Amino acid sequence: AQSVAQPEDQVNVAEGNPLTVKCTYSVSGNPYLFWYVQYPNRGLQFLLKYITGDNLVKGSYGFEAEFNKSQTSFHLKKPSALVSDSALYFCAVRDMKAGGSYIPTFGRGTSLIVHP
Amino acid sequence: DVKVTQSSRYLVKRTGEKVFLECVQDMDHENMFWYRQDPGLGLRLIYFSYDVKMKEKGDIPEGYSVSREKKERFSLILESASTNQTSMYLCASSTLTGSSEQFFGPGTRLTVL
């Protein structure tokens, strides 16, 4: 079985400060990991993914995420937050293990609020 | 630009009505998905399809059915709408490759009165 947890419902950060949105996962094999962003009244938009290779993945809008296998985490980061980054962020995981579900499992989402 | 479109952004229906939500993708993707999104519950999978005329139940299929007659089109049907089906409905598509990200439509906010 695969699962993903986003332990924070909401993250508040001041503009210009670094931000982190947390995600932990559980899979039987190795994971495919994804981050998506949802702006108000919009669909989800892909930000970045980890498949294999370098543990630090860079994505759209200056976001990056670090894959940590020992801690089973895939936290989303940005060095300097913008007010326009305020949105809902979803982490998703899919187990690479043969016979595993080919449908990703989504976390419940974390609301990021960047204060001016 | 790749695109997933949904037939309506906002929809208001009455209890007992039959409701059709349509989704079209122009990327020749094999997989298509229907989710509903509710505050605090994240995304919950209703149905997905990996090929024309093929469908599989997701986590919450009760009260819903789907149709995929053409590769690019995936319809969600509420046979008899109820107030507890008031929600945001999101369609998505992806390739068959496990590492593929999903592409989402803009969503349909359905209100059942």
Side-chain angles (χ1 to χ4, degrees), chain A residues 32 34 36 38 41-44 46 49 51 90 94 102-104 106 108, chain B residues 9 35 37 40 42-43 45 48 50 56 90 98-99 101-102 104-106:
Chain A
Y32 295 126
F34 306 84
Y36 294 84
Q38 185 181 33
N41 296 313
R42 305 286 292 275
L44 276 67
F46 169 73
K49 65 182 176 184
I51 304 303
F90 289 94
R94 183 187 166 270
Y102 46 90
I103 302 169
F106 283 82
R108 294 193 171 190
Chain B
R9 292 299 307 275
Y35 294 92
Q37 181 181 14
L43 270 66
L45 181 67
F48 78 98
Y50 52 90
E56 288 196 25
L90 294 168
S99 60
E101 63 270 27
Q102 291 171 295
F104 284 82

PDB file of all heavy atoms in Angstrom, chain A residues 32 34 36 38 41-44 46 49 51 90 94 102-104 106 108, chain B residues 9 35 37 40 42-43 45 48 50 56 90 98-99 101-102 104-106:
ATOM      1  N   TYR A  32       7.789   7.172  -6.834  1.00  0.00           N
ATOM      2  CA  TYR A  32       7.716   8.355  -7.672  1.00  0.00           C
ATOM      3  C   TYR A  32       7.014   9.409  -6.810  1.00  0.00           C
ATOM      4  O   TYR A  32       5.968   9.127  -6.228  1.00  0.00           O
ATOM      5  CB  TYR A  32       6.873   8.125  -8.930  1.00  0.00           C
ATOM      6  CG  TYR A  32       7.418   7.129  -9.909  1.00  0.00           C
ATOM      7  CD1 TYR A  32       6.642   6.049 -10.340  1.00  0.00           C
ATOM      8  CD2 TYR A  32       8.690   7.268 -10.451  1.00  0.00           C
ATOM      9  CE1 TYR A  32       7.126   5.137 -11.263  1.00  0.00           C
ATOM     10  CE2 TYR A  32       9.179   6.359 -11.371  1.00  0.00           C
ATOM     11  CZ  TYR A  32       8.392   5.296 -11.764  1.00  0.00           C
ATOM     12  OH  TYR A  32       8.879   4.396 -12.679  1.00  0.00           O
ATOM     13  N   PHE A  34       5.612  13.567  -6.385  1.00  0.00           N
ATOM     14  CA  PHE A  34       5.156  14.722  -7.158  1.00  0.00           C
ATOM     15  C   PHE A  34       4.699  15.833  -6.211  1.00  0.00           C
ATOM     16  O   PHE A  34       4.172  15.569  -5.132  1.00  0.00           O
ATOM     17  CB  PHE A  34       3.962  14.346  -8.050  1.00  0.00           C
ATOM     18  CG  PHE A  34       4.189  13.172  -8.945  1.00  0.00           C
ATOM     19  CD1 PHE A  34       4.002  11.879  -8.481  1.00  0.00           C
ATOM     20  CD2 PHE A  34       4.579  13.349 -10.260  1.00  0.00           C
ATOM     21  CE1 PHE A  34       4.202  10.788  -9.305  1.00  0.00           C
ATOM     22  CE2 PHE A  34       4.779  12.263 -11.096  1.00  0.00           C
ATOM     23  CZ  PHE A  34       4.589  10.977 -10.614  1.00  0.00           C
ATOM     24  N   TYR A  36       2.214  19.369  -6.564  1.00  0.00           N
ATOM     25  CA  TYR A  36       1.301  20.156  -7.381  1.00  0.00           C
ATOM     26  C   TYR A  36       0.882  21.389  -6.589  1.00  0.00           C
ATOM     27  O   TYR A  36       0.845  21.384  -5.356  1.00  0.00           O
ATOM     28  CB  TYR A  36       0.039  19.359  -7.725  1.00  0.00           C
ATOM     29  CG  TYR A  36       0.257  18.161  -8.612  1.00  0.00           C
ATOM     30  CD1 TYR A  36       0.641  16.939  -8.081  1.00  0.00           C
ATOM     31  CD2 TYR A  36       0.062  18.252  -9.989  1.00  0.00           C
ATOM     32  CE1 TYR A  36       0.833  15.830  -8.904  1.00  0.00           C
ATOM     33  CE2 TYR A  36       0.244  17.157 -10.818  1.00  0.00           C
ATOM     34  CZ  TYR A  36       0.626  15.954 -10.265  1.00  0.00           C
ATOM     35  OH  TYR A  36       0.815  14.872 -11.081  1.00  0.00           O
ATOM     36  N   GLN A  38      -2.246  24.461  -6.352  1.00  0.00           N
ATOM     37  CA  GLN A  38      -3.597  24.839  -6.775  1.00  0.00           C
ATOM     38  C   GLN A  38      -3.886  26.265  -6.318  1.00  0.00           C
ATOM     39  O   GLN A  38      -3.927  26.550  -5.119  1.00  0.00           O
ATOM     40  CB  GLN A  38      -4.639  23.889  -6.186  1.00  0.00           C
ATOM     41  CG  GLN A  38      -6.050  24.167  -6.683  1.00  0.00           C
ATOM     42  CD  GLN A  38      -7.079  23.235  -6.072  1.00  0.00           C
ATOM     43  OE1 GLN A  38      -6.953  22.825  -4.927  1.00  0.00           O
ATOM     44  NE2 GLN A  38      -8.111  22.889  -6.828  1.00  0.00           N
ATOM     45  N   ASN A  41      -9.835  28.470  -6.994  1.00  0.00           N
ATOM     46  CA  ASN A  41     -10.801  28.181  -8.067  1.00  0.00           C
ATOM     47  C   ASN A  41     -10.128  27.725  -9.358  1.00  0.00           C
ATOM     48  O   ASN A  41     -10.633  27.996 -10.447  1.00  0.00           O
ATOM     49  CB  ASN A  41     -11.683  29.411  -8.330  1.00  0.00           C
ATOM     50  CG  ASN A  41     -12.534  29.753  -7.134  1.00  0.00           C
ATOM     51  OD1 ASN A  41     -13.158  28.883  -6.538  1.00  0.00           O
ATOM     52  ND2 ASN A  41     -12.530  31.016  -6.733  1.00  0.00           N
ATOM     53  N   ARG A  42      -9.039  27.021  -9.225  1.00  0.00           N
ATOM     54  CA  ARG A  42      -8.334  26.491 -10.386  1.00  0.00           C
ATOM     55  C   ARG A  42      -8.053  25.007 -10.174  1.00  0.00           C
ATOM     56  O   ARG A  42      -8.154  24.487  -9.061  1.00  0.00           O
ATOM     57  CB  ARG A  42      -7.008  27.229 -10.591  1.00  0.00           C
ATOM     58  CG  ARG A  42      -7.122  28.710 -10.697  1.00  0.00           C
ATOM     59  CD  ARG A  42      -7.697  29.134 -12.036  1.00  0.00           C
ATOM     60  NE  ARG A  42      -6.804  28.868 -13.143  1.00  0.00           N
ATOM     61  CZ  ARG A  42      -5.834  29.664 -13.537  1.00  0.00           C
ATOM     62  NH1 ARG A  42      -5.598  30.797 -12.884  1.00  0.00           N
ATOM     63  NH2 ARG A  42      -5.077  29.344 -14.565  1.00  0.00           N
ATOM     64  N   GLY A  43      -7.675  24.325 -11.251  1.00  0.00           N
ATOM     65  CA  GLY A  43      -7.225  22.943 -11.132  1.00  0.00           C
ATOM     66  C   GLY A  43      -5.804  22.887 -10.598  1.00  0.00           C
ATOM     67  O   GLY A  43      -5.158  23.904 -10.394  1.00  0.00           O
ATOM     68  N   LEU A  44      -5.327  21.663 -10.374  1.00  0.00           N
ATOM     69  CA  LEU A  44      -3.954  21.492  -9.895  1.00  0.00           C
ATOM     70  C   LEU A  44      -2.974  21.670 -11.054  1.00  0.00           C
ATOM     71  O   LEU A  44      -3.256  21.314 -12.193  1.00  0.00           O
ATOM     72  CB  LEU A  44      -3.763  20.103  -9.288  1.00  0.00           C
ATOM     73  CG  LEU A  44      -4.168  19.921  -7.834  1.00  0.00           C
ATOM     74  CD1 LEU A  44      -5.652  20.056  -7.658  1.00  0.00           C
ATOM     75  CD2 LEU A  44      -3.671  18.588  -7.308  1.00  0.00           C
ATOM     76  N   PHE A  46       1.141  20.994 -12.088  1.00  0.00           N
ATOM     77  CA  PHE A  46       2.350  20.254 -11.754  1.00  0.00           C
ATOM     78  C   PHE A  46       3.508  21.207 -11.470  1.00  0.00           C
ATOM     79  O   PHE A  46       3.736  22.160 -12.214  1.00  0.00           O
ATOM     80  CB  PHE A  46       2.687  19.327 -12.922  1.00  0.00           C
ATOM     81  CG  PHE A  46       4.029  18.685 -12.838  1.00  0.00           C
ATOM     82  CD1 PHE A  46       4.270  17.671 -11.928  1.00  0.00           C
ATOM     83  CD2 PHE A  46       5.059  19.074 -13.675  1.00  0.00           C
ATOM     84  CE1 PHE A  46       5.513  17.067 -11.851  1.00  0.00           C
ATOM     85  CE2 PHE A  46       6.300  18.471 -13.622  1.00  0.00           C
ATOM     86  CZ  PHE A  46       6.527  17.470 -12.701  1.00  0.00           C
ATOM     87  N   LYS A  49       8.818  16.739  -9.896  1.00  0.00           N
ATOM     88  CA  LYS A  49       8.708  15.329  -9.536  1.00  0.00           C
ATOM     89  C   LYS A  49      10.090  14.743  -9.298  1.00  0.00           C
ATOM     90  O   LYS A  49      11.099  15.214  -9.859  1.00  0.00           O
ATOM     91  CB  LYS A  49       7.977  14.541 -10.617  1.00  0.00           C
ATOM     92  CG  LYS A  49       8.700  14.478 -11.961  1.00  0.00           C
ATOM     93  CD  LYS A  49       7.847  13.716 -12.981  1.00  0.00           C
ATOM     94  CE  LYS A  49       8.501  13.725 -14.366  1.00  0.00           C
ATOM     95  NZ  LYS A  49       7.636  13.064 -15.380  1.00  0.00           N
ATOM     96  N   ILE A  51      11.957  11.099  -9.726  1.00  0.00           N
ATOM     97  CA  ILE A  51      11.855   9.752 -10.302  1.00  0.00           C
ATOM     98  C   ILE A  51      13.050   8.924  -9.850  1.00  0.00           C
ATOM     99  O   ILE A  51      12.914   7.855  -9.268  1.00  0.00           O
ATOM    100  CB  ILE A  51      11.794   9.815 -11.842  1.00  0.00           C
ATOM    101  CG1 ILE A  51      10.632  10.715 -12.286  1.00  0.00           C
ATOM    102  CG2 ILE A  51      11.658   8.418 -12.435  1.00  0.00           C
ATOM    103  CD1 ILE A  51       9.292  10.287 -11.771  1.00  0.00           C
ATOM    104  N   PHE A  90      -0.133  20.258  -2.936  1.00  0.00           N
ATOM    105  CA  PHE A  90      -0.404  18.834  -2.763  1.00  0.00           C
ATOM    106  C   PHE A  90       0.835  18.020  -3.109  1.00  0.00           C
ATOM    107  O   PHE A  90       1.464  18.233  -4.145  1.00  0.00           O
ATOM    108  CB  PHE A  90      -1.540  18.367  -3.682  1.00  0.00           C
ATOM    109  CG  PHE A  90      -2.898  18.866  -3.281  1.00  0.00           C
ATOM    110  CD1 PHE A  90      -3.405  20.028  -3.839  1.00  0.00           C
ATOM    111  CD2 PHE A  90      -3.665  18.171  -2.363  1.00  0.00           C
ATOM    112  CE1 PHE A  90      -4.661  20.486  -3.484  1.00  0.00           C
ATOM    113  CE2 PHE A  90      -4.919  18.623  -2.005  1.00  0.00           C
ATOM    114  CZ  PHE A  90      -5.417  19.784  -2.556  1.00  0.00           C
ATOM    115  N   ARG A  94       3.590   7.573  -5.901  1.00  0.00           N
ATOM    116  CA  ARG A  94       3.221   6.339  -6.551  1.00  0.00           C
ATOM    117  C   ARG A  94       4.347   5.347  -6.318  1.00  0.00           C
ATOM    118  O   ARG A  94       5.513   5.689  -6.431  1.00  0.00           O
ATOM    119  CB  ARG A  94       2.997   6.529  -8.050  1.00  0.00           C
ATOM    120  CG  ARG A  94       2.542   5.251  -8.726  1.00  0.00           C
ATOM    121  CD  ARG A  94       2.472   5.375 -10.221  1.00  0.00           C
ATOM    122  NE  ARG A  94       2.352   4.044 -10.818  1.00  0.00           N
ATOM    123  CZ  ARG A  94       3.366   3.271 -11.185  1.00  0.00           C
ATOM    124  NH1 ARG A  94       4.602   3.711 -11.043  1.00  0.00           N
ATOM    125  NH2 ARG A  94       3.155   2.088 -11.701  1.00  0.00           N
ATOM    126  N   TYR A 102      -0.931   1.930 -10.136  1.00  0.00           N
ATOM    127  CA  TYR A 102      -0.361   2.939 -11.012  1.00  0.00           C
ATOM    128  C   TYR A 102      -1.127   4.238 -10.900  1.00  0.00           C
ATOM    129  O   TYR A 102      -1.025   5.089 -11.761  1.00  0.00           O
ATOM    130  CB  TYR A 102      -0.313   2.437 -12.459  1.00  0.00           C
ATOM    131  CG  TYR A 102      -1.563   1.787 -12.960  1.00  0.00           C
ATOM    132  CD1 TYR A 102      -2.567   2.531 -13.575  1.00  0.00           C
ATOM    133  CD2 TYR A 102      -1.741   0.422 -12.837  1.00  0.00           C
ATOM    134  CE1 TYR A 102      -3.706   1.938 -14.040  1.00  0.00           C
ATOM    135  CE2 TYR A 102      -2.894  -0.183 -13.293  1.00  0.00           C
ATOM    136  CZ  TYR A 102      -3.870   0.575 -13.902  1.00  0.00           C
ATOM    137  OH  TYR A 102      -5.015  -0.025 -14.358  1.00  0.00           O
ATOM    138  N   ILE A 103      -1.913   4.362  -9.848  1.00  0.00           N
ATOM    139  CA  ILE A 103      -2.615   5.605  -9.578  1.00  0.00           C
ATOM    140  C   ILE A 103      -1.932   6.271  -8.394  1.00  0.00           C
ATOM    141  O   ILE A 103      -1.738   5.645  -7.353  1.00  0.00           O
ATOM    142  CB  ILE A 103      -4.073   5.346  -9.227  1.00  0.00           C
ATOM    143  CG1 ILE A 103      -4.747   4.594 -10.361  1.00  0.00           C
ATOM    144  CG2 ILE A 103      -4.799   6.644  -8.935  1.00  0.00           C
ATOM    145  CD1 ILE A 103      -6.107   4.084  -9.986  1.00  0.00           C
ATOM    146  N   PRO A 104      -1.569   7.539  -8.531  1.00  0.00           N
ATOM    147  CA  PRO A 104      -0.913   8.202  -7.403  1.00  0.00           C
ATOM    148  C   PRO A 104      -1.882   8.458  -6.259  1.00  0.00           C
ATOM    149  O   PRO A 104      -3.076   8.624  -6.462  1.00  0.00           O
ATOM    150  CB  PRO A 104      -0.417   9.517  -8.026  1.00  0.00           C
ATOM    151  CG  PRO A 104      -1.292   9.743  -9.205  1.00  0.00           C
ATOM    152  CD  PRO A 104      -1.686   8.395  -9.724  1.00  0.00           C
ATOM    153  N   PHE A 106      -2.702  11.089  -3.218  1.00  0.00           N
ATOM    154  CA  PHE A 106      -2.477  12.486  -2.871  1.00  0.00           C
ATOM    155  C   PHE A 106      -2.574  12.714  -1.368  1.00  0.00           C
ATOM    156  O   PHE A 106      -3.374  12.063  -0.685  1.00  0.00           O
ATOM    157  CB  PHE A 106      -3.505  13.380  -3.560  1.00  0.00           C
ATOM    158  CG  PHE A 106      -3.234  13.621  -5.010  1.00  0.00           C
ATOM    159  CD1 PHE A 106      -3.609  12.686  -5.962  1.00  0.00           C
ATOM    160  CD2 PHE A 106      -2.586  14.774  -5.430  1.00  0.00           C
ATOM    161  CE1 PHE A 106      -3.350  12.894  -7.308  1.00  0.00           C
ATOM    162  CE2 PHE A 106      -2.323  14.990  -6.771  1.00  0.00           C
ATOM    163  CZ  PHE A 106      -2.711  14.047  -7.703  1.00  0.00           C
ATOM    164  N   ARG A 108      -3.493  15.498   1.765  1.00  0.00           N
ATOM    165  CA  ARG A 108      -4.684  16.314   1.955  1.00  0.00           C
ATOM    166  C   ARG A 108      -4.473  17.775   1.605  1.00  0.00           C
ATOM    167  O   ARG A 108      -5.426  18.561   1.589  1.00  0.00           O
ATOM    168  CB  ARG A 108      -5.177  16.193   3.392  1.00  0.00           C
ATOM    169  CG  ARG A 108      -5.676  14.812   3.717  1.00  0.00           C
ATOM    170  CD  ARG A 108      -6.437  14.777   5.014  1.00  0.00           C
ATOM    171  NE  ARG A 108      -7.093  13.481   5.187  1.00  0.00           N
ATOM    172  CZ  ARG A 108      -7.977  13.226   6.120  1.00  0.00           C
ATOM    173  NH1 ARG A 108      -8.340  14.154   6.981  1.00  0.00           N
ATOM    174  NH2 ARG A 108      -8.529  12.030   6.211  1.00  0.00           N
TER     175      ARG A 108
ATOM    176  N   ARG B   9     -17.531  25.503 -15.574  1.00  0.00           N
ATOM    177  CA  ARG B   9     -16.794  25.917 -14.387  1.00  0.00           C
ATOM    178  C   ARG B   9     -17.696  25.882 -13.155  1.00  0.00           C
ATOM    179  O   ARG B   9     -17.266  25.527 -12.072  1.00  0.00           O
ATOM    180  CB  ARG B   9     -16.228  27.317 -14.568  1.00  0.00           C
ATOM    181  CG  ARG B   9     -15.125  27.432 -15.609  1.00  0.00           C
ATOM    182  CD  ARG B   9     -13.902  26.579 -15.250  1.00  0.00           C
ATOM    183  NE  ARG B   9     -13.387  26.810 -13.923  1.00  0.00           N
ATOM    184  CZ  ARG B   9     -12.529  27.767 -13.607  1.00  0.00           C
ATOM    185  NH1 ARG B   9     -12.101  28.602 -14.522  1.00  0.00           N
ATOM    186  NH2 ARG B   9     -12.101  27.895 -12.364  1.00  0.00           N
ATOM    187  N   TYR B  35     -11.771  13.167  -9.982  1.00  0.00           N
ATOM    188  CA  TYR B  35     -11.624  13.346  -8.550  1.00  0.00           C
ATOM    189  C   TYR B  35     -12.701  14.301  -8.054  1.00  0.00           C
ATOM    190  O   TYR B  35     -13.174  15.156  -8.794  1.00  0.00           O
ATOM    191  CB  TYR B  35     -10.276  13.996  -8.216  1.00  0.00           C
ATOM    192  CG  TYR B  35      -9.048  13.194  -8.517  1.00  0.00           C
ATOM    193  CD1 TYR B  35      -8.391  13.310  -9.745  1.00  0.00           C
ATOM    194  CD2 TYR B  35      -8.498  12.348  -7.560  1.00  0.00           C
ATOM    195  CE1 TYR B  35      -7.238  12.594 -10.019  1.00  0.00           C
ATOM    196  CE2 TYR B  35      -7.335  11.628  -7.821  1.00  0.00           C
ATOM    197  CZ  TYR B  35      -6.718  11.762  -9.039  1.00  0.00           C
ATOM    198  OH  TYR B  35      -5.576  11.052  -9.303  1.00  0.00           O
ATOM    199  N   GLN B  37     -12.985  17.128  -4.820  1.00  0.00           N
ATOM    200  CA  GLN B  37     -12.157  17.809  -3.834  1.00  0.00           C
ATOM    201  C   GLN B  37     -13.059  18.512  -2.839  1.00  0.00           C
ATOM    202  O   GLN B  37     -13.892  19.339  -3.217  1.00  0.00           O
ATOM    203  CB  GLN B  37     -11.239  18.834  -4.514  1.00  0.00           C
ATOM    204  CG  GLN B  37     -10.334  19.557  -3.552  1.00  0.00           C
ATOM    205  CD  GLN B  37      -9.457  20.584  -4.229  1.00  0.00           C
ATOM    206  OE1 GLN B  37      -9.673  20.957  -5.369  1.00  0.00           O
ATOM    207  NE2 GLN B  37      -8.434  21.032  -3.531  1.00  0.00           N
ATOM    208  N   GLY B  40     -10.412  19.919   3.543  1.00  0.00           N
ATOM    209  CA  GLY B  40      -9.951  19.026   4.595  1.00  0.00           C
ATOM    210  C   GLY B  40      -9.834  17.570   4.196  1.00  0.00           C
ATOM    211  O   GLY B  40      -9.266  16.763   4.939  1.00  0.00           O
ATOM    212  N   GLY B  42      -8.856  16.671   0.854  1.00  0.00           N
ATOM    213  CA  GLY B  42      -7.950  16.543  -0.270  1.00  0.00           C
ATOM    214  C   GLY B  42      -8.661  16.059  -1.517  1.00  0.00           C
ATOM    215  O   GLY B  42      -9.848  16.320  -1.721  1.00  0.00           O
ATOM    216  N   LEU B  43      -7.940  15.329  -2.352  1.00  0.00           N
ATOM    217  CA  LEU B  43      -8.495  14.770  -3.583  1.00  0.00           C
ATOM    218  C   LEU B  43      -8.885  13.320  -3.354  1.00  0.00           C
ATOM    219  O   LEU B  43      -8.085  12.529  -2.861  1.00  0.00           O
ATOM    220  CB  LEU B  43      -7.459  14.827  -4.710  1.00  0.00           C
ATOM    221  CG  LEU B  43      -7.437  16.065  -5.576  1.00  0.00           C
ATOM    222  CD1 LEU B  43      -7.023  17.269  -4.767  1.00  0.00           C
ATOM    223  CD2 LEU B  43      -6.525  15.875  -6.758  1.00  0.00           C
ATOM    224  N   LEU B  45     -10.384   9.950  -5.387  1.00  0.00           N
ATOM    225  CA  LEU B  45     -10.581   9.407  -6.726  1.00  0.00           C
ATOM    226  C   LEU B  45     -11.947   8.760  -6.831  1.00  0.00           C
ATOM    227  O   LEU B  45     -12.288   7.888  -6.028  1.00  0.00           O
ATOM    228  CB  LEU B  45      -9.475   8.399  -7.040  1.00  0.00           C
ATOM    229  CG  LEU B  45      -9.510   7.760  -8.415  1.00  0.00           C
ATOM    230  CD1 LEU B  45      -9.238   8.813  -9.498  1.00  0.00           C
ATOM    231  CD2 LEU B  45      -8.480   6.633  -8.501  1.00  0.00           C
ATOM    232  N   PHE B  48     -11.367   6.003 -12.676  1.00  0.00           N
ATOM    233  CA  PHE B  48     -10.375   6.305 -13.687  1.00  0.00           C
ATOM    234  C   PHE B  48     -10.503   5.333 -14.850  1.00  0.00           C
ATOM    235  O   PHE B  48     -11.158   4.295 -14.744  1.00  0.00           O
ATOM    236  CB  PHE B  48      -8.967   6.308 -13.107  1.00  0.00           C
ATOM    237  CG  PHE B  48      -8.379   4.951 -12.896  1.00  0.00           C
ATOM    238  CD1 PHE B  48      -7.522   4.399 -13.831  1.00  0.00           C
ATOM    239  CD2 PHE B  48      -8.656   4.221 -11.743  1.00  0.00           C
ATOM    240  CE1 PHE B  48      -6.962   3.156 -13.629  1.00  0.00           C
ATOM    241  CE2 PHE B  48      -8.106   2.974 -11.544  1.00  0.00           C
ATOM    242  CZ  PHE B  48      -7.253   2.436 -12.484  1.00  0.00           C
ATOM    243  N   TYR B  50      -8.120   3.686 -18.235  1.00  0.00           N
ATOM    244  CA  TYR B  50      -6.806   3.570 -18.849  1.00  0.00           C
ATOM    245  C   TYR B  50      -6.893   3.275 -20.345  1.00  0.00           C
ATOM    246  O   TYR B  50      -5.875   3.084 -21.019  1.00  0.00           O
ATOM    247  CB  TYR B  50      -5.957   2.510 -18.151  1.00  0.00           C
ATOM    248  CG  TYR B  50      -6.642   1.169 -18.020  1.00  0.00           C
ATOM    249  CD1 TYR B  50      -6.515   0.211 -19.013  1.00  0.00           C
ATOM    250  CD2 TYR B  50      -7.421   0.865 -16.907  1.00  0.00           C
ATOM    251  CE1 TYR B  50      -7.145  -1.010 -18.912  1.00  0.00           C
ATOM    252  CE2 TYR B  50      -8.059  -0.356 -16.798  1.00  0.00           C
ATOM    253  CZ  TYR B  50      -7.917  -1.294 -17.800  1.00  0.00           C
ATOM    254  OH  TYR B  50      -8.550  -2.495 -17.690  1.00  0.00           O
ATOM    255  N   GLU B  56     -12.278   1.795 -14.078  1.00  0.00           N
ATOM    256  CA  GLU B  56     -12.121   1.127 -12.792  1.00  0.00           C
ATOM    257  C   GLU B  56     -12.570   2.066 -11.691  1.00  0.00           C
ATOM    258  O   GLU B  56     -12.381   3.286 -11.779  1.00  0.00           O
ATOM    259  CB  GLU B  56     -10.661   0.714 -12.564  1.00  0.00           C
ATOM    260  CG  GLU B  56     -10.252  -0.444 -13.450  1.00  0.00           C
ATOM    261  CD  GLU B  56      -8.978  -1.113 -12.971  1.00  0.00           C
ATOM    262  OE1 GLU B  56      -8.666  -1.022 -11.769  1.00  0.00           O
ATOM    263  OE2 GLU B  56      -8.300  -1.718 -13.806  1.00  0.00           O
ATOM    264  N   LEU B  90     -12.706  17.527 -10.310  1.00  0.00           N
ATOM    265  CA  LEU B  90     -11.502  17.736 -11.108  1.00  0.00           C
ATOM    266  C   LEU B  90     -11.254  16.541 -12.013  1.00  0.00           C
ATOM    267  O   LEU B  90     -11.287  15.401 -11.572  1.00  0.00           O
ATOM    268  CB  LEU B  90     -10.291  17.929 -10.198  1.00  0.00           C
ATOM    269  CG  LEU B  90     -10.276  19.189  -9.342  1.00  0.00           C
ATOM    270  CD1 LEU B  90      -9.178  19.106  -8.300  1.00  0.00           C
ATOM    271  CD2 LEU B  90     -10.076  20.417 -10.210  1.00  0.00           C
ATOM    272  N   GLY B  98       4.418   5.224 -15.428  1.00  0.00           N
ATOM    273  CA  GLY B  98       4.238   5.459 -14.003  1.00  0.00           C
ATOM    274  C   GLY B  98       4.851   6.737 -13.501  1.00  0.00           C
ATOM    275  O   GLY B  98       4.399   7.307 -12.511  1.00  0.00           O
ATOM    276  N   SER B  99       5.880   7.205 -14.184  1.00  0.00           N
ATOM    277  CA  SER B  99       6.544   8.430 -13.750  1.00  0.00           C
ATOM    278  C   SER B  99       5.885   9.690 -14.294  1.00  0.00           C
ATOM    279  O   SER B  99       6.337  10.801 -14.009  1.00  0.00           O
ATOM    280  CB  SER B  99       8.008   8.402 -14.188  1.00  0.00           C
ATOM    281  OG  SER B  99       8.082   8.304 -15.599  1.00  0.00           O
ATOM    282  N   GLU B 101       3.527  12.812 -14.760  1.00  0.00           N
ATOM    283  CA  GLU B 101       2.665  13.650 -13.947  1.00  0.00           C
ATOM    284  C   GLU B 101       1.265  13.711 -14.556  1.00  0.00           C
ATOM    285  O   GLU B 101       1.050  13.353 -15.705  1.00  0.00           O
ATOM    286  CB  GLU B 101       3.239  15.086 -13.848  1.00  0.00           C
ATOM    287  CG  GLU B 101       3.329  15.819 -15.178  1.00  0.00           C
ATOM    288  CD  GLU B 101       4.651  15.592 -15.863  1.00  0.00           C
ATOM    289  OE1 GLU B 101       5.291  14.527 -15.637  1.00  0.00           O
ATOM    290  OE2 GLU B 101       5.053  16.470 -16.644  1.00  0.00           O
ATOM    291  N   GLN B 102       0.304  14.155 -13.762  1.00  0.00           N
ATOM    292  CA  GLN B 102      -1.062  14.322 -14.233  1.00  0.00           C
ATOM    293  C   GLN B 102      -1.287  15.774 -14.653  1.00  0.00           C
ATOM    294  O   GLN B 102      -0.723  16.698 -14.069  1.00  0.00           O
ATOM    295  CB  GLN B 102      -2.056  13.946 -13.136  1.00  0.00           C
ATOM    296  CG  GLN B 102      -2.081  12.461 -12.825  1.00  0.00           C
ATOM    297  CD  GLN B 102      -2.905  12.149 -11.596  1.00  0.00           C
ATOM    298  OE1 GLN B 102      -2.558  12.552 -10.498  1.00  0.00           O
ATOM    299  NE2 GLN B 102      -4.012  11.445 -11.775  1.00  0.00           N
ATOM    300  N   PHE B 104      -4.300  18.511 -15.047  1.00  0.00           N
ATOM    301  CA  PHE B 104      -5.634  18.719 -14.510  1.00  0.00           C
ATOM    302  C   PHE B 104      -6.404  19.777 -15.297  1.00  0.00           C
ATOM    303  O   PHE B 104      -5.833  20.746 -15.797  1.00  0.00           O
ATOM    304  CB  PHE B 104      -5.553  19.172 -13.050  1.00  0.00           C
ATOM    305  CG  PHE B 104      -5.232  18.065 -12.099  1.00  0.00           C
ATOM    306  CD1 PHE B 104      -3.914  17.651 -11.912  1.00  0.00           C
ATOM    307  CD2 PHE B 104      -6.239  17.423 -11.392  1.00  0.00           C
ATOM    308  CE1 PHE B 104      -3.616  16.609 -11.036  1.00  0.00           C
ATOM    309  CE2 PHE B 104      -5.945  16.389 -10.505  1.00  0.00           C
ATOM    310  CZ  PHE B 104      -4.633  15.979 -10.330  1.00  0.00           C
ATOM    311  N   GLY B 105      -7.711  19.567 -15.350  1.00  0.00           N
ATOM    312  CA  GLY B 105      -8.595  20.597 -15.867  1.00  0.00           C
ATOM    313  C   GLY B 105      -8.847  21.660 -14.803  1.00  0.00           C
ATOM    314  O   GLY B 105      -8.402  21.527 -13.666  1.00  0.00           O
ATOM    315  N   PRO B 106      -9.589  22.719 -15.160  1.00  0.00           N
ATOM    316  CA  PRO B 106      -9.814  23.831 -14.235  1.00  0.00           C
ATOM    317  C   PRO B 106     -10.809  23.520 -13.122  1.00  0.00           C
ATOM    318  O   PRO B 106     -10.905  24.275 -12.161  1.00  0.00           O
ATOM    319  CB  PRO B 106     -10.353  24.932 -15.143  1.00  0.00           C
ATOM    320  CG  PRO B 106     -10.982  24.199 -16.274  1.00  0.00           C
ATOM    321  CD  PRO B 106     -10.164  22.972 -16.488  1.00  0.00           C
TER     322      PRO B 106
END
